Amino acid sequence: AKDMLELGSHQWLSSIMRRPSTSHSTAVQAACCHALGNVLMLTKAGTMQRLERQNEFIDANVHLAVCKTLGSELCWAHRDCVVSALTLASLLAEQNKNAAKRLRKVGGISNVQDILMHYSALEGSEALTKIIVLMPAKDCLAHLWFGNKKKRKRN
């Protein structure tokens, strides 16, 4: 993971994900999300090293790439792509207020909610797919709301 960061692979993978020629390929999106997620998974959540990696990912616009993937209906049809993107978004926002805020600003909440609505409507033989996708989606939604203060109107 350290070598990947030193070589700037997170920046390359992010640019590959955002490139118009590869944004419609679910295999490319799933592979990039999986690779970036593995880099974040190798460090323990809440440590200074994880926060530094998350901030490097934000600087490389990974949050834009993952939200674009989560918003793509082509990706929704491919279970592995959805799970990889949800896992990456969840790891990116986990215990990091800045990253969660950035993901919320680019539409992460609405994309995850759309995925939840799409997969909750599945029935019959697709029940296993429903379970596989809904658990990471709920975790991702919880991490995206991290650090958000609800503003209430006082009378």
Side-chain angles (χ1 to χ4, degrees), residues 134-151:
L134 290 183
M135 292 305 290
K138 289 177 183 177
D139 289 342
C140 182
L141 208 53
H143 288 136
L144 289 177
W145 282 113
F146 179 75
N148 187 36
K149 294 181 182 176
K150 291 186 178 182
K151 296 178 182 175

Side-chain angles (χ1 to χ4, degrees), residues 21 27 30 42 51 63 67 79 94 105 139-141 144 146:
S21 60
L42 291 174
L51 291 173
H63 63 291
C67 279
R79 180 185 70 198
E94 187 177 20
K105 279 187 174 182
D139 289 342
C140 182
L141 208 53
L144 289 177
F146 179 75

Side-chain angles (χ1 to χ4, degrees), residues 3-23:
D3 291 342
M4 286 182 74
L5 289 173
E6 287 174 3
L7 293 172
S9 63
H10 59 290
Q11 295 170 340
W12 290 19
L13 290 172
S14 174
S15 67
I16 288 170
M17 289 174 68
R18 290 181 283 121
R19 200 171 287 160
S21 60
T22 58
S23 64

Side-chain angles (χ1 to χ4, degrees), residues 8 39 50 56 66 72 79 90 101 109 114 127 141:
V39 171
R50 170 69 82 86
E56 286 182 29
V66 76
S72 169
R79 180 185 70 198
S90 182
K101 183 178 179 180
I109 297 279
D114 290 342
L141 208 53

